[in-house]
Amino acid sequence: MIAVVKCCGNNIASIGNALQKLQCSFTLTEDPDVIATADKVILPGVGSAKAAMSKLQSAKLVPVLQTLRQPVLGICLGMQLLYTSSEENDVACLNIIDGQVKRFCLTNEYPVPHMGWNYVSAIEDNSFTTKLKDCYYYFVHSFYAPISRETIASVNYGHSFSAIVKKNNYYGMQFHPEKSGQVGLALLDTFLRLP
Amino acid sequence: MLAKRIIPCLDVKDNYVVKGVTFKNHKVVGDILALASYYNKSGADELIFYDITASCEQRSANSNWVQKIAEQIDIPFCVAGGIRSLQAAEKILTLGADKISINSPALENPKLISDLVYEFGSQCVVVGVDSCQLGEDYYVYQYTGVPDKMIKSSYRTKDWLEEVVARGAGEIVLNCMNQDGRREGYDLAQLNFFRKRLPIPLIASGGAGTMEHFSDLFKTTNVSGALAASVFHQKTIAISGLKTFLIKQGIEVRCV
């Protein structure tokens, strides 16, 4: 069973619809025991890091999410929550990946949010990134994770930053695979098939 | 780099997609779900559904089709029309829409923009602006969905866009009324003028008639995307053909 963490934002319906298209059964939950024992965990998220972290704290999910051994996928804000902290209100996050999520600078040339389909390039070959050559994925965000050793695919908007990150069993996608057409669904399917 | 977005706009009235010329004489062009599915497959980057009479009829967009669309397509979509409360917005977002767009209700109550941004985040709050050139300046119009109710608002477009940005909106769709429905090209002067003054994404609307109109738009302005309706609905322009054309012109777009 796939556990989709229910806490962070309103667009859970999109993830559910995508999982249904992939004929994957899932449960939408904030129960720590269900999440701890799920085969895989998806941490979606839109909205602010501060609101999401306080919801995870009140649901007593922080220690659970920090110690999972099964594959975990953070999407958009869910990816950013994997980091030590976010510049968005200087909030402390899950501290699974070292580093701070940064705010984009507002300019006329590169308006913020970074919204739309952008080209993602693999940095490192693995089961994930072989699926995404020559592909555009749908992004919408105002904060970004700088390139680090956990970055396995990057994207450029004024400068390069992380599009997909991986640390041990934790994966993160800055874009929305559930909103990125057939290529996005294929990538989500790759995650669902991880051992 | 970020691809320019091609966005079909589906004007919805009584559960059908309709299109008028310069906001009048709406004609049925097809079924909502069938058209949404068609555009999803043919390479549209995003869809906007606009319940054109919702605002004048003092109701929010009809939500029974929102969920069906969310289940059917795998690209982002935005719903517009008569959303004038947090509850109405939440309902539409919870059913699976990625963004909501507000226009007349924001003019009635500008605080609605900041309230929606606080509650749901700027990424899902789009403000639609109907802007008309009168003499040397641009002015905002309200209730443009129904000709009898359309009025000139108290705002100059410049002042209204500044307020929309200050209140945290994530994107602006600027519909240039002098051009809308005429198929003579986008209002490049107006779009360029406002693009240079905005820190958030701007989508061009009104006037698409040929593929060259899209390439002119992307070559002369830095808008994030182009919205069009009748040229797509009447199959004057196929999205796949348009994208091939734009790539040959050196414009970055997503091909499926």
Side-chain angles (χ1 to χ4, degrees):
Chain A
M1 178 64 85
I2 309 293
V4 178
V5 180
K6 172 190 169 182
C7 291
C8 320
N10 288 284
N11 78 337
I12 305 285
S14 308
I15 304 272
N17 288 332
L19 293 174
Q20 268 166 10
K21 280 172 195 152
L22 295 169
Q23 297 177 332
C24 166
S25 63
F26 66 95
T27 178
L28 191 58
T29 180
E30 50 188 357
D31 181 331
D33 294 334
V34 173
I35 292 167
T37 56
D39 296 326
K40 294 184 178 72
V41 176
I42 295 179
L43 180 63
V46 293
S48 82
K50 192 177 183 180
M53 282 310 297
S54 67
K55 282 181 185 165
L56 293 178
Q57 272 149 3
S58 54
K60 300 195 168 26
L61 284 176
V62 173
V64 178
L65 290 171
Q66 285 169 327
T67 52
L68 295 171
R69 296 299 173 98
Q70 63 272 55
V72 180
L73 174 62
I75 297 175
C76 197
L77 176 64
M79 176 194 108
Q80 298 184 356
L81 296 180
L82 300 178
Y83 283 77
T84 308
S85 65
S86 172
E87 251 182 32
E88 189 176 8
N89 301 314
D90 276 326
V91 65
C93 297
L94 293 169
N95 196 28
I96 292 157
I97 299 177
D98 287 338
Q100 190 182 38
V101 171
K102 306 283 187 190
R103 182 188 294 273
F104 281 120
C105 291
L106 286 173
T107 65
N108 291 331
E109 194 181 355
Y110 294 103
V112 177
H114 170 223
M115 185 166 351
W117 297 78
N118 205 336
Y119 190 82
V120 171
S121 320
I123 289 179
E124 190 185 293
D125 270 339
N126 64 34
S127 64
F128 242 94
T129 52
T130 49
K131 290 269 182 187
L132 59 73
K133 297 264 183 335
D134 301 323
C135 280
Y136 286 92
Y137 294 88
Y138 185 76
F139 289 80
V140 48
H141 58 120
S142 302
F143 293 79
Y144 69 94
I147 303 277
S148 67
R149 63 174 181 272
E150 289 83 11
T151 308
I152 60 171
S154 71
V155 60
N156 190 299
Y157 186 63
H159 58 92
S160 290
F161 51 91
S162 298
I164 305 180
V165 293
K166 176 182 186 301
K167 184 178 181 185
N168 305 324
N169 55 317
Y170 289 89
Y171 295 79
M173 297 182 190
Q174 180 59 72
F175 51 86
H176 288 273
E178 77 280 15
K179 282 286 165 182
S180 295
Q182 292 300 307
V183 293
L185 289 179
L187 204 59
L188 206 50
D189 193 48
T190 306
F191 170 77
L192 297 172
R193 288 170 192 275
L194 285 173
Chain B
M1 279 301 298
L2 188 63
K4 299 296 185 186
R5 281 177 272 160
I6 302 297
I7 308 171
C9 177
L10 292 79
D11 287 349
V12 177
K13 188 182 181 186
D14 304 328
N15 291 324
Y16 283 94
V17 176
V18 298
K19 180 60 191 172
V21 175
T22 59
F23 287 105
K24 290 173 189 165
N25 306 320
H26 297 109
K27 287 181 182 148
V28 171
V29 295
D31 172 70
I32 304 174
L33 282 172
L35 271 170
S37 186
Y38 165 74
Y39 288 126
N40 183 46
K41 284 182 188 138
S42 61
D45 297 306
E46 186 174 320
L47 300 176
I48 294 185
F49 298 90
Y50 175 34
D51 191 331
I52 51 170
T53 56
S55 211
C56 314
E57 293 169 8
Q58 297 289 314
R59 59 174 176 83
S60 69
N62 196 334
S63 56
N64 61 17
W65 44 263
V66 176
Q67 185 173 5
K68 289 180 188 155
I69 286 162
E71 287 165 2
Q72 196 164 306
I73 69 174
D74 50 25
I75 56 171
F77 72 98
C78 177
V79 173
I83 298 165
R84 43 171 50 80
S85 69
L86 295 182
Q87 292 76 10
E90 183 172 23
K91 191 175 171 193
I92 286 166
L93 292 170
T94 306
L95 289 171
D98 299 273
K99 311 182 208 180
I100 44 123
S101 179
I102 54 173
N103 186 331
S104 299
L107 290 161
E108 290 165 11
N109 170 25
K111 186 170 170 288
L112 179 62
I113 302 169
S114 23
D115 287 349
L116 288 167
V117 168
Y118 180 79
E119 192 67 26
F120 307 113
S122 63
Q123 81 289 335
C124 64
V125 181
V126 180
V127 177
V129 178
D130 290 307
S131 175
C132 191
Q133 184 174 7
L134 298 172
E136 293 296 296
D137 213 340
Y138 301 105
Y139 296 87
V140 179
Y141 276 68
Q142 196 169 1
Y143 307 121
T144 52
V146 173
D148 302 343
K149 302 216 172 170
M150 184 168 81
I151 53 167
K152 181 164 163 269
S153 78
S154 57
Y155 287 96
R156 290 195 305 161
T157 305
K158 179 178 171 293
D159 300 331
W160 178 235
L161 293 181
E162 276 173 16
E163 173 145 10
V164 166
V165 168
R167 288 182 177 277
E171 184 160 84
I172 289 167
V173 174
L174 187 67
N175 185 51
C176 304
M177 294 174 69
N178 308 78
Q179 257 61 34
D180 190 64
R182 296 184 180 279
R183 300 192 180 195
E184 290 165 357
Y186 288 94
D187 188 338
L188 303 177
Q190 183 173 184
L191 290 159
N192 235 341
F193 180 81
F194 290 118
R195 169 66 275 163
K196 288 175 179 167
R197 286 161 178 78
L198 291 172
I200 64 173
L202 177 68
I203 303 297
S205 167
T210 66
M211 292 196 190
E212 286 76 12
H213 292 155
F214 290 85
S215 58
D216 289 347
L217 174 71
F218 293 129
K219 283 177 182 172
T220 44
T221 76
N222 187 32
V223 296
S224 300
L227 183 148
S230 58
V231 287
F232 296 141
H233 301 332
Q234 294 170 10
K235 299 191 169 63
T236 314
I237 295 177
I239 291 175
S240 56
L242 172 61
K243 288 194 163 181
T244 308
F245 172 80
L246 291 174
I247 287 170
K248 280 182 189 159
Q249 301 281 313
I251 294 157
E252 186 162 347
V253 290
R254 174 188 75 116
C255 282
V256 290

